[in-house]
Amino acid sequence: MRLLGNKRLLILLLGLICFIALMGLTLGQRERISWPEKFVKDTISWTQGLFYKPAGWIAGFFEDMRQLRTIFEENKVLKMTLAQYARDTTRLNDLELQNKRLKEDLGFTERQKQMNNYKFRIAEVVAASPDRLNNTITINLGEKDGMRPNMAVMSVEGLVGRIVQVSAFYSNVQLLSSIDDTASDNKAISVTVKNKENEAFGMMESFDPKTGLLVVNKIEQKDHFAVGDVVITSGLGQVFPRGIEIGKVVAVKDGDFGITYTATVQPFASLVHLREVFVVEAPEG
């Protein structure tokens, strides 16, 4: 009775008995669990599910944001690399074209040395006039380089024009497409035919912008200009040295009053998109 009167000791003993009984029930592997265990397990799993899905969504959102930032940075690097590649490719193509042009220029000067006693100063075209009525280019040679007005300028293909204005470091070159027999300051070009220098003579006085052809006038009937002939400078005008190729005759027709006739010439040199040209230095005297 004294033992039963002690409530604390009684509760402790009952708890110990329940714990030992619970251990006996749960000890070892069992295929079936008791309903209290089922209840506890289901309750915990359901509660975990309530927190797991939102937590998964939040974690997935931040993971997606991290991956999105990584993709953005990688895309930025790829764009910069692609832009650099495009610039390098363009520069490489420009260098290859420049190398090709310089090789052609070198071959040209070697051939010219064997043909005559002229010196050729290579110059870079630094500007071009957009005015169709005043077709000029600017080259990076000037007075300090020995440039003077009326010096002939040509490309690898043929004559392109003459120097008309000189400053200390640059010169303006009037192109053949500016030749106009109606202009007061026009300088006609005295021309002849290659391999027929003593049989043909004419004056190249104008350029037809519609056809892109040069016009040679004042050709006497006895002079021999024929389709396919190569027109060169005669050197008689004392502006352009003798023997510079200009173009090829593409047509011949009667001139004024049937006394003379006219020849139209397709220029060899392109008069647009010039990059490098040569200034011809003829020996004095």
Side-chain angles (χ1 to χ4, degrees), residues 28-260:
Q29 295 183 353
R30 294 171 297 136
E31 295 182 357
R32 301 181 64 183
I33 58 178
S34 62
W35 69 266
E37 291 176 315
K38 291 180 180 180
F39 175 78
V40 174
K41 181 177 179 62
D42 291 342
T43 302
I44 294 174
S45 297
W46 181 78
T47 304
Q48 287 178 338
L50 291 178
F51 291 97
Y52 177 77
K53 288 183 179 181
W57 290 338
I58 295 173
F61 172 77
F62 285 106
E63 179 66 19
D64 291 342
M65 291 296 293
R66 187 183 66 81
Q67 291 181 356
L68 184 61
R69 181 174 181 82
T70 301
I71 293 173
F72 173 78
E73 294 295 336
E74 291 177 351
N75 189 46
K76 183 178 179 180
V77 172
L78 288 174
K79 285 184 177 180
M80 294 176 61
T81 304
L82 183 60
Q84 182 65 37
Y85 174 77
R87 289 194 297 268
D88 292 343
T89 301
T90 301
R91 178 170 175 79
L92 177 61
N93 291 336
D94 289 341
L95 290 175
E96 288 179 347
L97 291 175
Q98 184 182 37
N99 185 52
K100 182 180 178 181
R101 292 196 307 271
L102 291 176
K103 285 183 178 179
E104 293 175 350
D105 295 342
L106 180 61
F108 166 78
T109 55
E110 291 299 325
R111 292 194 305 271
Q112 293 299 315
K113 286 179 182 179
Q114 299 174 6
M115 293 177 61
N116 48 54
N117 196 27
Y118 301 152
K119 290 177 61 178
F120 296 86
R121 297 287 303 277
I122 189 169
E124 182 180 355
V125 177
V126 296
S129 172
D131 186 0
R132 293 185 177 182
L133 300 178
N134 184 26
N135 294 320
T136 61
I137 59 174
T138 303
I139 60 175
N140 62 346
L141 295 180
E143 287 181 349
K144 70 178 185 62
D145 304 297
M147 299 297 102
R148 303 182 307 276
N150 291 327
M151 294 182 74
V153 179
M154 63 183 301
S155 67
V156 173
E157 291 81 13
L159 185 69
V160 298
R162 65 184 177 93
I163 294 178
V164 292
Q165 192 175 42
V166 179
S167 64
F169 301 100
Y170 299 95
S171 300
N172 289 342
V173 177
Q174 183 186 50
L175 301 178
L176 293 179
S177 52
S178 292
I179 296 178
D180 184 2
D181 55 355
T182 63
S184 59
D185 60 344
N186 182 61
K187 287 186 179 293
I189 305 173
S190 174
V191 298
T192 184
V193 174
K194 189 175 183 179
N195 300 324
K196 299 180 184 178
E197 287 84 350
N198 298 324
E199 303 175 8
F201 175 79
M203 297 298 294
M204 185 171 289
E205 296 179 327
S206 61
F207 175 83
D208 187 349
K210 294 181 180 179
T211 61
L213 301 177
L214 296 161
V215 181
V216 180
N217 297 317
K218 299 181 176 64
I219 304 173
E220 296 185 4
Q221 293 293 335
K222 64 181 181 63
D223 290 333
H224 301 282
F225 275 78
V227 174
D229 283 345
V230 175
V231 177
I232 62 175
T233 55
S234 69
L236 298 179
Q238 298 182 350
V239 174
F240 297 93
R242 180 184 180 90
I244 300 177
E245 294 187 353
I246 300 176
K248 181 175 66 175
V249 177
V250 294
V252 176
K253 63 180 181 179
D254 290 333
D256 296 336
F257 308 108
I259 300 175
T260 61

